Amino acid sequence: MKTSFTAARPESAASIALARFRIHTILKMIACCATIFVVGCGPSKEDLIAKAMRRKRASSDDVDPTPVQVAAPVAASAPAPQPAPISESKTAAVETAVPKQTSKAIAGVEQKPLTPIDQRKPTESLSAVDRRRMAVDNLKKIHEAMAAYVADHGEFPYYTMESSGGISTFSWRVALLPYLGYQELYDKFNHERPWDYPENKELLTFIPPEYVSPERFDTNTNFLVPLANFLIFHDFTERDEESNEQKVTKVDRITDGLDNTILLLEVDDDFSVPWTKPEDYRLFGGEGGQRAITRGFGHLRGDGALAIWGNGWPFSLSNDLLFQQLYPAFTYAGNERQPAAVIHREVSFDNVIDRSETVTSSIIADTSESPTQTMSLDSIPIVRREVPNSIELANAEERFQSIFGDRIRAARDRMAKDKLAVDISKASATMQADLAGTYVMQTAAMELAQLAGSVDTLLSAVDARVATFEVDAYKTNTDALLSLAKSSSQMDSASIDGTTFLQRAVYVVWHAVENDDYDTARILVRSADRMIDVSRSNRLPKMLGRLGVVLGEAERQYANAKDQLAAYRDNPDDGEAAATFGRYLCFIKGDWDRGLPLLVGGGPEPLRRASRIDLKGFKTNEDEVAIADSWWELASQARPGVYRQGALDRAAHWYRNVFEKMPDSLDKIHVKARLADLKQVELSSPLAITAQLAKQSGVDLSIKLADVAFSGRKGGLLTASNTEIEDVNN
């Protein structure tokens, strides 16, 4: 037995050695394959935030809470200093001032130590290409951390953290520290004190490399989130009524889609902020308010700003983009239906021009102006192209049919037609060099959407047409809605998005009154009445029915006014003809500037008297109250109808104009009572009822119909999503 055992030992040892070799070889092969898979395949096109939300994150109790000490990344070509954890740094005073937190590191996130930023600064400036690569890499890493945060919390962070007392303390950038691998740094902040409190301010020097600007290597960051209402990060604090906690954006509220919504961008140096400060890039500024974009980006890299979509795709934001193209890309719930492809531009690392050689953006031509220079919607020219001629369109139509004809004929049911319309619309959005092809494809998409009864797809194609070509916005919208109303008349109204139809119809009706096109307005009102969800409201049908009646009355008044206008033009001394036309302008169309001077020449004396008082103007608050009272008294004498409503509208105008300026007095109580009474009056003019419908539907009628294609289908900044429309029963 002993001999046998002794002889077997060398054989066993060889077997063990061979086994170890095989295991080692297999592990190396696995590692190599993993490297090839991770590096060679490139980033997935899947929505990273949505993917992270689907991933079940492990509990921190399942892993070793001890941080893994890995050196922080250093910029290319820079000598790598010896990293030291924060606890071993020169900020011993800070360490003793702030008690050590007991929170654990995020499961699965590699923990990294940090050194002060002055120890990480390269000895030589990075090249323009290296700076660009570092900036893009930072955007990606911040997005990954944001995706992990959303996966854990089910929502985006608010742009400012708060103390237990509700006081603003830090930026969202501090909230992401555990997800970037800097739990130790996160724990060292005193979360009950603001960012610039001495003990917190001393930690600024430990800015994570993901927030570092490759231009400066200091404690300010250029990587900010756009901040404004209707953006993922908004600058007003909504609070839950029960918990009093901040309301933040959930992924399911981003109805435009993460892949069409800008999450983060690199701003110019003038707009950089201390990385812990609860401040970001306020997108809108100046007297234009939300109608003007502050151009604080695009000059750092020379050829545009670096940004990243909500799905994790970095891109270059061109300096040549207009407000009408930028706004839909920043908002998350305007349903503008502008695909990312309209402005997406791949980041180039070839022939990169150094920042010192760049010129100022074409949007801000005067470099001496403040960095907060803004451009409003009204001041930016809308660049549209001429409609291609008939020969070009005929050739494009022939090519289009050869490509899509079979698919169109195969799309027999509504769902198939809608899907094909969407595909064609998306394809047309990328064909900037083929205008005839774009026009033909837009037309095809509209026709398919009409046959499918798809309001959303139809309006997307309509907006693309108006945004691209020099067409009449009113006629394009009107033709599309009327065609949809006709083709969907035999469809189940429950299968049609009546809310969206109503919102656009309100816009068109408003402009129809301006254009004296009452027949079109009535058809759209009837169609909207048929499509809306009656179970949602019992007031909408009543309002639409009432609007149809007053539109009929307005059309009759218009027919009479046209005859009187002709008589007035033949005889300028015909005061009665002038007054008749003036009443139509004031009470039907709301055009008091043109109509009011015509009212004093004829008609009933009470109306002439109120008009004279109004035209005289005012010097004191009492004068304004007297003007309003004169219209109120005139309304009390008139029969219910459009003229009575017009007089009340004019009275309301003057009452509102003076109310805020008045000191507390009996006169102010009088005005307040009149304004309260006006809320109880049943509306009886087309403009008044349409304005009320617009308010209920979340439509901002102050934006012109031609600009809706750029500012948001439901009217821009005052719009609500379909699920957020005000309950009209209240």
Side-chain angles (χ1 to χ4, degrees):
M1 295 292 293
K2 184 176 181 179
T3 303
S4 174
F5 177 76
T6 303
R9 289 183 63 189
E11 181 180 348
S12 177
S15 300
I16 293 173
L18 180 59
R20 288 178 176 173
F21 174 77
R22 288 174 175 170
I23 292 172
H24 180 68
T25 302
I26 292 171
L27 289 175
K28 288 182 67 177
M29 292 175 64
I30 292 174
C32 290
C33 291
T35 302
I36 293 173
F37 177 77
V38 173
V39 177
C41 293
S44 170
K45 291 186 177 180
E46 183 174 2
D47 183 322
L48 298 181
I49 288 183
K51 181 179 179 181
M53 292 186 68
R54 292 194 297 269
R55 183 178 66 247
K56 183 180 185 298
R57 296 185 60 86
S59 168
S60 59
D61 295 331
D62 299 335
V63 298
D64 183 357
T66 305
V68 179
Q69 300 297 308
V70 180
V74 182
S77 305
Q82 293 299 320
I86 294 176
S87 57
E88 299 175 9
S89 70
K90 297 180 181 180
T91 57
V94 177
E95 185 178 0
T96 56
V98 183
K100 185 77 174 180
Q101 303 289 324
T102 59
S103 57
K104 296 181 180 180
I106 301 295
V109 178
E110 184 181 39
Q111 298 300 300
K112 297 165 282 189
L114 280 174
T115 57
I117 186 60
D118 57 1
Q119 296 181 25
R120 288 180 271 151
K121 189 170 184 177
T123 55
E124 297 181 0
S125 297
L126 303 181
S127 68
V129 173
D130 286 339
R131 293 198 303 270
R132 182 170 296 214
R133 291 190 186 279
M134 180 176 171
V136 171
D137 191 49
N138 286 353
L139 286 170
K140 291 179 179 178
K141 290 177 179 177
I142 296 171
H143 176 273
E144 290 172 1
M146 187 78 74
Y149 181 99
V150 173
D152 277 353
H153 298 270
E155 59 193 13
F156 288 87
Y158 192 62
Y159 88 95
T160 172
M161 299 173 66
E162 291 185 349
S163 67
S164 57
I167 305 301
S168 179
T169 54
F170 301 109
S171 164
W172 58 269
R173 290 176 286 273
V174 174
L176 289 193
L177 287 177
Y179 297 90
L180 288 166
Y182 307 109
Q183 182 71 50
E184 185 180 358
L185 175 58
Y186 180 86
D187 291 340
K188 285 189 173 294
F189 284 102
N190 186 336
H191 294 266
E192 292 299 311
R193 295 287 185 267
W195 72 277
D196 55 353
Y197 200 74
E199 56 188 320
N200 288 330
K201 197 169 184 179
E202 291 190 41
L203 292 175
L204 277 173
T205 187
F206 293 99
I207 177 174
E210 293 83 356
Y211 298 147
V212 171
S213 169
E215 318 299 310
R216 300 186 315 274
F217 280 85
D218 59 13
T219 59
N220 271 25
T221 184
N222 294 61
F223 302 105
L224 310 183
V225 295
L227 195 62
N229 299 353
F230 295 96
L231 274 58
I232 293 178
F233 289 83
H234 42 73
D235 58 358
F236 63 95
T237 304
E238 291 182 290
R239 296 190 177 276
D240 185 86
E241 295 181 358
E242 296 182 1
S243 65
N244 197 38
E245 294 181 352
Q246 298 175 10
K247 287 185 178 180
V248 291
T249 304
K250 298 181 183 296
V251 174
D252 59 7
R253 293 190 65 189
I254 304 176
T255 56
D256 287 349
L258 286 165
D259 52 346
N260 295 320
T261 306
I262 296 174
L263 176 67
L264 186 74
L265 76 160
E266 185 186 37
V267 300
D268 297 339
D269 282 341
D270 289 327
F271 286 78
S272 65
V273 297
W275 72 275
T276 61
K277 183 178 180 180
E279 185 58 65
D280 277 272
Y281 176 59
R282 296 184 179 275
L283 186 66
F284 301 106
E287 294 183 359
Q290 291 185 326
R291 298 283 297 281
I293 288 184
T294 303
R295 295 307 294 257
F297 54 85
H299 307 111
L300 193 61
R301 302 282 156 225
D303 59 345
L306 297 176
I308 199 165
W309 296 108
N311 65 357
W313 292 356
F315 70 104
S316 179
L317 198 59
S318 172
N319 289 332
D320 297 327
L321 296 174
L322 301 178
F323 173 95
Q324 297 92 335
Q325 296 167 303
L326 287 171
Y327 173 72
F330 281 108
T331 58
Y332 71 83
N335 287 327
E336 301 91 352
R337 309 300 296 176
Q338 175 179 288
V342 171
I343 69 170
H344 183 91
R345 188 177 62 171
E346 294 297 327
V347 180
S348 174
F349 297 99
D350 298 325
N351 301 318
V352 175
I353 301 175
D354 195 275
R355 180 177 57 156
S356 61
E357 302 175 15
T358 61
V359 295
T360 306
S361 165
S362 60
I363 297 295
I364 307 178
D366 186 358
T367 57
S368 64
E369 294 190 17
S370 163
T372 58
Q373 172 77 29
T374 62
M375 295 297 290
S376 70
L377 175 63
D378 295 330
S379 64
I380 297 177
I382 298 174
V383 181
R384 296 188 178 98
R385 306 293 185 88
E386 290 185 5
V387 176
N389 61 47
S390 57
I391 297 177
E392 293 172 329
L393 292 177
N395 291 334
E397 175 67 25
E398 184 177 353
R399 295 196 305 272
F400 172 79
Q401 288 297 332
S402 67
I403 298 172
F404 288 94
D406 291 340
R407 292 184 61 186
I408 292 175
R409 287 185 288 273
R412 298 183 181 279
D413 58 52
R414 291 174 56 189
M415 184 177 298
K417 293 180 188 297
D418 185 33
K419 183 180 184 305
L420 183 55
V422 171
D423 292 343
I424 292 175
S425 288
K426 289 181 178 179
S428 69
T430 63
M431 296 169 47
Q432 302 301 316
D434 184 1
L435 291 178
T438 299
Y439 192 93
V440 167
M441 293 180 74
Q442 289 172 350
T443 301
M446 284 188 274
E447 291 174 351
L448 285 166
Q450 290 162 3
L451 294 173
S454 177
V455 183
D456 190 76
T457 304
L458 173 63
L459 294 183
S460 176
V462 167
D463 289 344
R465 169 67 56 82
V466 173
T468 308
F469 296 102
E470 294 177 347
V471 295
D472 186 311
Y474 173 74
K475 186 177 187 306
T476 304
N477 277 271
T478 299
D479 290 348
L481 290 180
L482 290 176
S483 296
L484 177 65
K486 182 178 180 180
S487 62
S488 64
S489 60
Q490 303 302 319
M491 299 179 187
D492 180 8
S493 60
S495 65
I496 302 174
D497 186 357
T499 298
T500 303
F501 184 92
L502 172 63
Q503 288 169 324
R504 184 57 64 90
V506 166
Y507 247 119
V508 176
V509 168
W510 182 265
H511 288 274
V513 174
E514 289 184 351
N515 297 331
D516 303 313
D517 188 3
Y518 296 103
D519 188 52
T520 293
R522 291 204 313 276
I523 294 174
L524 292 179
V525 167
R526 288 198 302 268
S527 300
D529 189 24
R530 176 175 57 84
M531 295 180 189
I532 60 171
D533 183 0
V534 179
S535 64
R536 182 179 177 83
S537 167
N538 57 16
R539 281 191 62 190
L540 278 177
K542 181 179 179 181
M543 292 172 63
L544 289 168
R546 181 65 178 161
L547 179 57
V549 171
V550 298
L551 284 170
E553 173 62 21
E555 186 169 26
R556 288 188 289 273
Q557 296 293 337
Y558 171 61
N560 183 39
K562 283 196 301 182
D563 294 338
Q564 296 300 318
L565 175 60
Y568 174 63
R569 285 173 174 170
D570 291 339
N571 181 15
D573 295 329
D574 189 343
E576 291 297 328
T580 300
F581 186 68
R583 289 197 293 273
Y584 171 74
L585 290 176
C586 292
F587 300 143
I588 304 297
K589 297 177 70 71
D591 189 350
W592 289 86
D593 290 338
R594 287 198 302 158
L596 187 60
L598 300 177
L599 297 180
V600 297
E605 177 55 30
L607 175 58
R608 297 169 66 178
R609 177 178 176 275
S611 301
R612 287 193 296 268
I613 295 174
D614 197 320
L615 286 169
K616 184 179 179 181
F618 66 92
K619 295 181 179 179
T620 65
N621 293 342
E622 289 74 13
D623 292 340
E624 287 188 83
V625 174
I627 296 172
D629 285 344
S630 67
W631 287 111
W632 182 275
E633 292 169 5
L634 180 66
S636 66
Q637 301 170 16
R639 297 195 307 269
V642 290
Y643 290 149
R644 181 172 183 269
Q645 180 68 53
L648 289 174
D649 289 345
R650 191 61 175 174
H653 163 78
W654 286 110
Y655 283 138
R656 294 191 186 101
N657 194 59
V658 73
F659 181 73
E660 295 298 334
K661 300 183 294 182
M662 300 180 71
D664 290 337
S665 61
L666 290 175
D667 281 343
K668 188 168 186 176
I669 294 174
H670 162 72
V671 172
K672 184 177 181 180
R674 286 284 169 86
L675 288 172
D677 290 342
L678 282 168
K679 294 180 180 180
Q680 308 303 319
V681 175
E682 182 177 10
L683 303 180
S684 55
S685 75
L687 288 177
I689 299 176
T690 305
Q692 186 183 51
L693 277 169
K695 180 180 178 181
Q696 302 291 359
S697 303
V699 173
D700 181 6
L701 292 173
S702 67
I703 298 179
K704 298 177 182 178
L705 184 59
D707 296 328
V708 175
F710 300 106
S711 300
R713 174 176 328 126
K714 302 180 187 70
L717 298 164
L718 295 184
T719 61
S721 68
N722 290 0
T723 58
E724 296 173 324
I725 293 178
E726 181 181 351
D727 184 358
V728 296
N729 289 312
N730 295 327

